[in-house]
Amino acid sequence: MFFHIVLERNMQLHPRHFGPHLRDKLVSKLIKDVEGTCSGRHGFVVAITGVEDVGKGLIREGTGFVTFPVKYQCVVFRPFKGEILEAVVTMVNKMGFFAEAGPVQIFVSNHLIPDDMEFQSGDVPNYTTSDGSVKIQKESEVRLKIIGTRVDATEIFCIGTIKDDFLGVISDPGAAV
Amino acid sequence: MALQPSIEPFNRQPWVREEDLAKALKLHSKQLRRILRFFEEEKLVTRVHRKENAKGTKQHNAAAAAANDGQPVTNKEGEVKVKMHTHSYCCLDYAQICDVIRYRIHRMKKKLKDELDSRNTIQHYICPSCNKRYSAFDALQLVSFTDEYFHCEICNGELVAESDKLASEETGDGDDNGRKRRREKLKDKQQRIEEELKPLVAQLDRVKNLPAPEFGSLQTWERANIGAFPNGDLGAADSSRNSQGQYGTPMPYIGETKFEFYILGDGVKEGAESGKNGSELKVLPPWMIKDGMNLTKEQRGETSNASKFDENSEVKDDKKQDSKDDQSIQEEYIKAYYEALKKKHDEASNKVKTEGDIHISDPQSERQLGKKYKREDEDEGIEWEEQQHTGNTTETYKLADLNAEAQESGDDEDDNEWEDG
């Protein structure tokens, strides 16, 4: 799920950036550092939408670096257990398939794939129903439900299922057999 | 294995020595110990291992506390060195047994349900060679690009999915039928579990609301039963006594709440005076009764009842540590009181009554009991005398009754308790 929250971070700036555009340099450094990262607590930082406040800089002893406490608003994405997402399949395996929903990777193991879908190996490994009507292969879009998340300090990984109602393939990739 | 007769020794006494149990069951003690250890791990039995000498074991036989427990030092000082052997005692932990059984049944059913239903469970994988367990969360690190299986991080062996354990005896057909058959097997198992566990579940239901018999730890139980054993009465060491060795209804070992139970139990007595309560007069404690107050007999009569109960509760509140003693004495008091009540009921009905109400006769006799106490208590003598001097005919009537009834009501030795309180 996406959230728009205010986070705070201490940015260190090298003295060579001091000058009339100090603030701009600070903000661009912030964006470069933070966007695309993941924290276990907030989730993936998707985009910074604005800088709320830049505090007074503190000159560090010994070096000339200055630490600014910066408050900024950003959009974060954090998956939760029980959430239903759409994802794009990236890899199909005998043990299940991997899908990506934005920055987060989700694994759906084969015992959480409906019983009537069987794995078919080949140059395009896929899961297919017995009558061939539904196929899951690379680049297919699927709707899945997250049944578990593992949150490290800098990484979030999810397990999903498509065994419930209304879950499964949404659309096949263009060149479907 | 002779499991059925094994409960018998526990019925006689809660804490049984394992050697005795082995003899009773005619099992080898090592075997028995293995079995008991298994039960202990399953939390069905509580075991205590204690160092005792031979004298101590004899004392346990009489259920007295082993005096020499853990005191080898003092023994060695002058006298014959005492050899300490470790003796093991075990006791059935009833409350835990119920919980454990309920929990296990719940887990079994849940497992079957998970397997059968949508199975929103996280898949685990095991490496057959090094037996390392992985969960589906680790899948990312486990995926190999060379082939389509997961490989172990350490030994690169192929991982096997750890699922459908309950139904994995399936060999046979192609995957389509395989899954269907597994489902049917699981359903069948589920039904069989329901049927076969029905009597057990029924028994658990029956027992659910009953308080489990508590025996306390080995020491408290032994200490409690020291008193009983000089009478040579081994049978007293059973659950009819609570851990303080007092008679009473087996109640959960809650302590102070026993008071409340007990006080409410007094309501049984008050039920006999329900006619009085129906008169809707407020109960006045004696300290509220002042000179010249226009109180009906019932109010005063009730006060003597209520005051007794108040003092009952006061005594209890004051002496919380002696609570259990008070309580047992209360029980005995109440029993004796009931007998006295019955006696007086007949006699009181023959007397002249101002209200001619049978229900009042009870309070009369109770009043007499109470009043006797008050008369003897000099602290309240002043108050009492004021009441006596109010000159109600009813009052004098009561006095007269007191005189007549003094001896019989004096049979309650426990009135002395009141004085002390």
Side-chain angles (χ1 to χ4, degrees):
Chain A
M1 212 183 312
F2 292 95
F3 299 93
H4 191 207
I5 56 175
V6 174
L7 293 178
E8 180 160 354
R9 192 181 165 91
N10 289 331
M11 298 298 307
Q12 274 202 9
L13 205 56
H14 190 274
R16 74 161 161 263
H17 302 299
F18 294 172
H21 308 290
L22 174 70
R23 197 189 158 98
D24 296 336
K25 296 245 171 80
L26 193 60
V27 171
S28 57
K29 186 158 196 274
L30 175 74
I31 292 178
K32 205 165 52 134
D33 275 357
V34 170
E35 268 185 10
T37 59
C38 169
S39 88
R41 197 156 154 245
H42 302 113
F44 295 91
V45 177
V46 174
I48 293 181
T49 56
V51 171
E52 231 180 45
D53 178 55
V54 178
K56 290 201 167 120
L58 198 62
I59 305 177
R60 301 189 69 92
E61 289 183 16
T63 70
F65 280 85
V66 174
T67 306
F68 292 91
V70 184
K71 271 203 194 123
Y72 57 97
Q73 287 177 341
C74 55
V75 175
V76 296
F77 173 67
R78 198 195 190 284
F80 286 95
K81 183 175 160 181
E83 196 181 342
I84 298 183
L85 290 177
E86 280 112 31
V88 173
V89 177
T90 53
M91 175 163 47
V92 182
N93 201 324
K94 210 165 232 171
M95 315 292 281
F97 66 85
F98 288 84
E100 263 181 21
V104 68
Q105 286 234 0
I106 306 167
F107 173 62
V108 180
S109 94
N110 61 359
H111 94 285
L112 291 174
I113 296 174
D115 297 342
D116 53 353
M117 301 192 87
E118 299 299 338
F119 178 73
Q120 270 152 25
S121 49
D123 52 345
V124 183
N126 57 60
Y127 279 88
T128 314
T129 47
S130 36
D131 56 2
S133 55
V134 185
K135 204 184 227 176
I136 299 181
Q137 60 187 38
K138 193 158 183 249
E139 303 299 320
S140 313
E141 291 170 15
V142 293
R143 182 175 288 127
L144 43 80
K145 178 162 124 172
I146 296 182
I147 55 169
T149 56
R150 185 174 76 175
V151 176
D152 291 342
T154 56
E155 194 65 52
I156 301 185
F157 186 68
C158 300
I159 306 289
T161 173
I162 56 171
K163 218 173 192 190
D164 282 342
D165 294 336
F166 310 110
L167 301 179
V169 176
I170 306 171
S171 76
D172 268 335
V177 175
Chain B
M1 209 198 76
L3 270 177
Q4 224 164 5
S6 70
I7 303 290
E8 291 306 313
F10 289 110
N11 283 339
R12 272 179 270 124
Q13 21 160 201
W15 285 95
V16 177
R17 207 177 323 129
E18 289 177 5
E19 296 142 8
D20 295 342
L21 195 58
K23 273 184 231 153
L25 293 175
K26 304 199 178 59
L27 277 179
H28 201 267
S29 67
K30 272 195 190 154
Q31 257 183 324
L32 178 72
R33 247 178 276 144
R34 207 173 351 124
I35 293 167
L36 279 175
R37 191 183 146 72
F38 174 70
F39 281 151
E40 188 186 5
E41 281 169 6
E42 301 288 323
K43 306 240 183 297
L44 299 174
V45 149
T46 319
R47 280 171 101 202
V48 164
H49 306 281
R50 199 163 71 170
K51 279 193 192 309
E52 289 171 358
N53 56 9
K55 184 180 176 200
T57 61
K58 281 189 200 141
Q59 281 178 328
H60 176 81
N61 279 336
N68 291 329
D69 257 3
Q71 294 174 14
V73 182
T74 52
N75 262 339
K76 282 175 192 164
E77 264 178 0
E79 307 173 356
V80 180
K81 212 179 184 180
V82 180
K83 234 183 171 183
M84 306 288 282
H85 295 281
T86 306
H87 291 275
S88 301
Y89 299 85
C90 53
C91 166
L92 280 179
D93 192 344
Y94 291 99
Q96 225 174 20
I97 285 178
C98 291
D99 290 338
V100 161
I101 294 178
R102 267 214 315 255
Y103 180 64
R104 291 176 78 129
I105 293 178
H106 170 81
R107 291 276 310 186
M108 286 198 292
K109 290 192 182 156
K110 185 175 186 297
K111 208 165 186 202
L112 280 176
K113 202 161 129 342
D114 279 349
E115 294 263 2
L116 271 179
D117 289 353
S118 55
R119 285 190 267 157
N120 278 350
T121 48
I122 308 228
Q123 184 84 298
H124 288 281
Y125 302 97
I126 300 190
C127 174
S129 38
C130 56
N131 276 337
K132 186 144 164 49
R133 274 184 103 233
Y134 295 97
S135 98
F137 290 114
D138 309 316
L140 198 57
Q141 290 121 327
L142 302 172
V143 71
S144 120
F145 293 101
T146 52
D147 109 4
E148 288 163 346
Y149 288 97
F150 287 153
H151 284 259
C152 174
E153 278 175 342
I154 304 170
C155 62
N156 222 29
E158 255 178 39
L159 295 188
V160 174
E162 185 190 311
S163 78
D164 293 352
K165 273 174 293 200
L166 292 179
S168 59
E169 300 102 46
E170 200 46 45
T171 51
D173 310 51
D175 276 352
D176 321 327
N177 281 346
R179 280 186 186 175
K180 253 185 225 162
R181 281 166 65 170
R182 256 178 280 160
R183 277 188 75 85
E184 282 166 21
K185 269 187 110 172
L186 287 172
K187 275 196 192 132
D188 179 52
K189 230 180 215 168
Q190 218 178 23
Q191 270 171 349
R192 269 190 297 145
I193 274 192
E194 299 273 334
E195 280 170 36
E196 291 176 18
L197 290 182
K198 217 184 279 184
L200 182 57
V201 171
Q203 176 68 26
L204 275 176
D205 275 338
R206 258 178 277 151
V207 169
K208 194 166 49 172
N209 294 324
L210 301 174
E214 291 266 349
F215 305 114
S217 77
L218 185 56
Q219 273 100 348
T220 49
W221 177 76
E222 283 184 341
R223 240 176 279 135
N225 292 305
I226 295 174
F229 290 97
N231 305 334
D233 183 11
L234 256 169
D238 63 4
S239 59
S240 72
R241 283 172 164 258
N242 65 25
S243 54
Q244 303 299 322
Q246 294 174 347
Y247 291 109
T249 53
M251 285 189 278
Y253 193 76
I254 301 178
E256 284 155 28
T257 34
K258 278 187 184 174
F259 295 112
E260 290 171 341
F261 178 90
Y262 195 78
I263 291 173
L264 288 177
D266 287 354
V268 171
K269 251 201 289 184
E270 285 185 311
E273 304 129 16
S274 56
K276 216 188 341 167
N277 291 335
S279 67
E280 292 178 49
L281 282 171
K282 266 209 167 175
V283 172
L284 289 179
W287 46 267
M288 255 194 90
I289 300 174
K290 293 205 176 108
D291 191 16
M293 274 179 91
N294 252 350
L295 297 174
T296 67
K297 197 197 249 183
E298 288 169 352
Q299 278 181 324
R300 290 192 200 265
E302 286 187 358
T303 60
S304 63
N305 262 341
S307 65
K308 210 185 302 166
F309 294 137
D310 286 344
E311 278 149 15
N312 235 339
S313 54
E314 279 169 17
V315 167
K316 285 179 189 171
D317 287 340
D318 291 342
K319 298 183 183 176
K320 279 199 172 167
Q321 275 125 25
D322 302 337
S323 58
K324 308 253 167 66
D325 299 346
D326 281 347
Q327 202 175 356
S328 67
I329 292 169
Q330 283 292 329
E331 289 259 29
E332 293 165 21
Y333 176 77
I334 286 209
K335 283 176 197 159
Y337 176 75
Y338 263 110
E339 290 163 15
L341 246 186
K342 279 179 203 157
K343 256 193 263 170
K344 281 167 201 166
H345 204 88
D346 303 26
E347 286 154 1
S349 59
N350 296 333
K351 284 185 188 161
V352 178
K353 290 172 212 154
T354 52
E355 304 198 3
D357 189 0
I358 288 191
H359 289 296
I360 299 301
S361 69
D362 294 344
Q364 271 185 354
S365 43
E366 289 172 30
R367 240 181 287 126
Q368 282 141 23
L369 288 171
K371 290 208 170 170
K372 180 175 190 294
Y373 152 66
K374 281 172 188 156
R375 276 169 103 214
E376 291 171 5
D377 191 354
E378 291 193 353
D379 289 342
E380 297 191 8
I382 298 173
E383 194 189 311
W384 213 211
E385 272 172 62
E386 284 175 355
Q387 289 177 340
Q388 290 174 1
H389 290 323
T390 48
N392 282 345
T393 48
T394 56
E395 291 281 6
T396 52
Y397 167 66
K398 280 185 233 158
L399 278 177
D401 277 348
L402 266 172
N403 290 333
E405 296 287 313
Q407 286 124 14
E408 289 162 31
S409 59
D411 283 345
D412 276 319
E413 329 165 314
D414 289 337
D415 273 352
N416 294 332
E417 289 293 321
W418 290 118
E419 289 178 8
D420 295 337

